[in-house]
Amino acid sequence: MSKKIVLSGARPTGAIHLGNYFGALHNWVNLQDKYDCYFFIADWHALTTGYADTESLREHTVSLMADFIACGLDPDKSVIFLQSQVPEHAELFLLFSMNIPLSWLERCPTYKDQLNQLKEKDITTYGFLGYPCLQAADILMYLADYVPVGEDQLPHLELTREIARRFNHLYGKTFPEPQPLLTEAKVLPGTDGRKMSKSYDNTIAFADTPEEVRKKVMNMVTDPARIRKTDPGHPEVCSVYSFHKVFSEAEYEEIGRACRAGEIGCVQCKKKLAEKLAEFHTPIHEKRTKLLEDPAKLEELINKGSAKAREIAVETMKQVRAAVKIGLEHAE
Ligand code: TRP
Ligand code: SF4
C-alpha cells in the first residue's frame, strides 16, 4: 500500500527557535519514515506581511533550510522545497481565487487577529486576505492526506477543505479533503514566561551561540516570590521549571520537590538547566553553523527538492486544467 501524504510549511521570517522546534519541526522529523512527506519554505507567505522589507528574505530562506536539516529533516527521505521555485502554486491559487467567496476569507479568525495585532504594517492588502487561499493551493497541490499544524492553523485547514469541496463540486472530484495531524506538542514558554515569540524578544534560537544560550538561561524569569534560597518556591509558575520538564525528564520531579522545600537556589537550578539544554542545543547549533558555511550547497539542495516537488505539481495542474476546461485540450 502506498504511504499517506503529509505536507507542511514554514515562513522564512528568521531563525528557528525552541518554540518552533517543539511546536512543529520535532514532529515533522518523526513523520518522515511513516509518510511521504513534503516540507517547504513558504516565501510567498512571508511576503503577505513582509512585502515592504525583503532585504533578508533570501538569507532567511537559506538559513531556514540549514535549520531544517540540522534539526533532522532529511532531503533523502522527504521532499524539501521552496514555494516560489514551484510557480504552479501561484496558478492554483489564482484558479481558487476565482471562486472562493470573499466572506470565507474575511471571517477567518487569523485574518481578523493579525489585522489588529500588526497595526504598524499596512496589511489591508489583497495578498494578505488571500493567505489561506494560497495555503490551500500549497496543500491541495500534493493531494495531501495530513497536515501537521498547530491549533492556530486549524481555521486555515478547515478553509482548505471547503475550497477542495467547492472545486470538486464545480468541476468534478479532483482533490481529497486533507485532515490536520495534531501530535502532542511540548510547550516551552519564552525566557520571560510568556509564549516564546520573536516579537517578544524572549526566544532561544539554534542560531544563538552556546554562550548566548547560557546567558539567556541565567537571565530567565523565575518564581518572583523567591528571594532567598530557603524561601519555598512555586515551580509551576517558573519558566526554568517548564524547561526542566522538557530537558531534565529524569530529574525534574526532584527539582520541583527541592524548590518547594527551599533546598535548591535559583542560580544552581539554572546552572543545571544550562547544562542539560546545551546537550541538546549545541550539536544542532554546530550542525547549522557548518551547513551555513556552504550556502551554495544548501541552495543546491533546495533546487533539487523543488524540482522533485515540481514534477508532482505539474501533474496536478494538468488534472486541474482539464477539470476546469481552461486552455487547450491538447496543450504542449
Ligand atoms: N501558514 C503557515 C504558518 O504560518 C505556513 C504555511 C504556508 C503552511 N502554507 C502551508 C503550513 C501549508 C501548512 C501547510 O505557519
Ligand atoms: Fe524556578 Fe528552579 Fe528557582 Fe524553583 S529553584 S523557582 S524551579 S529556578
Side-chain angles (χ1 to χ4, degrees):
M1 215 183 80
S2 68
K3 290 182 182 169
K4 297 272 189 197
I5 299 168
V6 158
L7 173 137
S8 201
R11 283 169 298 156
T13 49
I16 288 275
H17 55 67
L18 297 180
N20 305 133
Y21 177 82
F22 286 104
L25 209 47
H26 173 65
N27 291 326
W28 298 5
V29 172
N30 292 331
L31 295 169
Q32 295 184 104
D33 293 314
K34 195 161 161 212
Y35 299 104
D36 265 339
C37 290
Y38 294 82
F39 298 117
F40 75 102
I41 299 171
D43 55 348
W44 279 333
H45 276 107
L47 285 186
T48 61
T49 52
Y51 61 84
D53 181 13
T54 55
E55 207 49 54
S56 311
L57 193 54
R58 286 185 167 162
E59 190 192 317
H60 286 162
T61 295
V62 172
S63 67
L64 184 53
M65 186 67 173
D67 278 327
F68 275 178
I69 296 175
C71 288
L73 291 191
D74 180 347
D76 291 327
K77 286 185 185 167
S78 304
V79 178
I80 308 175
F81 68 97
L82 178 59
Q83 188 182 34
S84 65
Q85 291 284 86
V86 188
E88 284 74 15
H89 288 226
E91 186 183 351
L92 190 54
F93 165 68
L94 179 144
L95 290 175
F96 288 158
S97 77
M98 295 298 164
N99 61 60
I100 308 184
L102 270 181
S103 60
W104 290 9
L105 297 168
E106 283 163 348
R107 72 169 187 228
C108 190
T110 51
Y111 178 66
K112 291 188 255 171
D113 287 355
Q114 297 266 69
L115 278 186
N116 280 329
Q117 273 173 32
L118 299 177
K119 283 249 159 65
E120 73 286 2
K121 291 182 186 173
D122 181 7
I123 52 169
T124 57
T125 59
Y126 175 53
F128 184 64
L129 179 66
Y131 189 114
C133 178
L134 179 57
Q135 186 163 349
D138 301 334
I139 297 168
L140 296 174
M141 184 68 83
Y142 303 91
L143 313 177
D145 297 291
Y146 298 116
V147 184
V149 285
E151 297 234 346
D152 61 316
Q153 294 288 310
L154 289 180
H156 292 174
L157 211 53
E158 179 64 38
L159 212 53
T160 299
R161 285 194 295 276
E162 281 172 321
I163 291 169
R165 239 174 276 151
R166 188 171 176 95
F167 188 99
N168 292 345
H169 173 73
L170 287 167
Y171 306 117
K173 173 101 174 86
T174 308
F175 296 113
E177 290 183 24
Q179 298 301 318
L181 200 60
L182 289 168
T183 29
E184 51 96 31
K186 294 182 187 168
V187 186
L188 269 188
T191 51
D192 60 358
R194 293 186 287 176
K195 180 182 154 74
M196 192 181 284
S197 161
K198 253 209 328 272
S199 44
Y200 295 152
D201 195 20
N202 64 0
T203 67
I204 294 180
F206 292 114
D208 293 341
T209 62
E211 186 46 28
E212 282 167 336
V213 174
R214 206 191 56 81
K215 279 200 189 126
K216 285 185 177 183
V217 170
M218 296 314 290
N219 286 327
M220 272 171 84
V221 174
T222 63
D223 174 3
R226 269 196 114 194
I227 297 161
R228 281 174 302 262
K229 178 182 155 182
T230 47
D231 295 340
H234 307 85
E236 56 293 338
V237 303
C238 173
S239 42
V240 176
Y241 190 62
S242 306
F243 272 63
H244 271 301
K245 257 189 208 165
V246 173
F247 295 103
S248 316
E249 277 179 34
E251 280 169 82
Y252 102 90
E253 284 183 13
E254 168 53 22
I255 293 168
R257 191 204 58 77
C259 171
R260 284 190 194 93
E263 289 171 16
I264 180 175
C266 292
V267 172
Q268 190 193 348
C269 187
K270 286 174 171 176
K271 278 191 181 151
K272 258 185 200 274
L273 174 63
E275 257 171 53
K276 289 284 179 191
L277 182 54
E279 283 171 25
F280 166 78
H281 176 275
T282 306
I284 299 180
H285 169 75
E286 282 174 356
K287 187 155 184 210
R288 123 187 245 288
T289 308
K290 197 156 169 34
L291 286 164
L292 282 169
E293 281 166 12
D294 191 355
K297 170 83 184 148
L298 287 165
E299 288 199 7
E300 189 189 314
L301 287 171
I302 295 173
N303 277 323
K304 273 196 187 153
S306 303
K308 279 193 230 165
R310 203 161 178 204
E311 283 175 25
I312 310 285
V314 164
E315 279 313 306
T316 303
M317 287 317 296
K318 278 188 194 154
Q319 308 285 325
V320 168
R321 286 194 207 121
V324 176
K325 302 187 179 65
I326 188 86
L328 301 177
E329 199 168 349
H330 305 285
E332 286 279 291

